[in-house]
Amino acid sequence: MRRITRLTGVPTAVAAVLVALAGTGARASEVTPSTLCGPGYATVDQDPIRDAGTGELLGTVHLLRNLLTGFGCAVTVKSAYAGTLTPTRVHLDPEWLPFSVDEGGRRYAAGPVHGYVRAGCVIWGGSMTGPDGVVHQHERANPAIGGAVTCF
């Protein structure tokens, strides 16, 4: 049976960065996946979140990996509604390890969530809810498993 680990907030360093960015009128484009995940992480995959009706890009879910440590990291970075508190979610589910999720009202990004992914597969994904209450999933989200799969 899998154990669910729920993150109640972002790590202190990331929180400090986001607070600093919020005070300077930062945009979502200034909040990068590598900044959120930390040093040594490189992008492995990414998937856009689009409005199903208009096709407008709302955000992107990113999967990163640190080759030295074997850890993976996932973040959802908002493109639309940046600076507005809207429900945003990201999750990472490494094979044989606990599921991690960060969700709630976010101004710029959800995450990071980390997990050990060195040799195996990981299910990852994210979503955003618009001010109108409509939930938008990332494009490759498989409803049966709750995300996309990447194997290392």
Side-chain angles (χ1 to χ4, degrees):
M1 179 171 209
R2 291 195 149 195
R3 184 179 55 152
I4 295 179
T5 303
R6 188 178 271 306
L7 299 178
T8 58
V10 294
T12 305
V14 174
V17 169
L18 292 178
V19 167
L21 290 173
T24 62
R27 294 172 295 180
S29 62
E30 296 170 342
V31 177
T32 66
S34 57
T35 300
L36 294 170
C37 288
Y41 283 89
T43 299
V44 174
D45 203 350
Q46 61 187 20
D47 201 27
I49 300 171
R50 296 189 187 278
D51 183 300
T54 66
E56 174 190 7
L57 179 65
L58 303 177
T60 305
V61 184
H62 301 268
L63 176 65
L64 294 87
R65 182 175 167 202
N66 185 316
L67 290 174
L68 295 177
T69 66
F71 276 82
C73 175
V75 297
T76 298
V77 178
K78 295 169 61 171
S79 300
Y81 321 123
T84 304
L85 211 56
T86 58
T88 309
R89 182 177 198 272
V90 66
H91 66 271
L92 185 68
D93 189 8
E95 193 171 20
W96 312 113
L97 293 172
F99 176 90
S100 297
V101 63
D102 180 44
E103 60 187 346
R106 303 291 186 264
R107 294 188 189 280
Y108 299 100
V113 290
H114 292 88
Y116 190 71
V117 300
R118 181 170 297 268
C121 297
V122 61
I123 299 171
W124 58 280
S127 63
M128 291 177 53
T129 303
D132 56 1
V134 175
V135 177
H136 306 278
Q137 300 290 334
H138 63 102
E139 288 185 354
R140 294 188 339 246
N142 180 331
I145 61 170
V149 176
T150 299
C151 295
F152 300 101

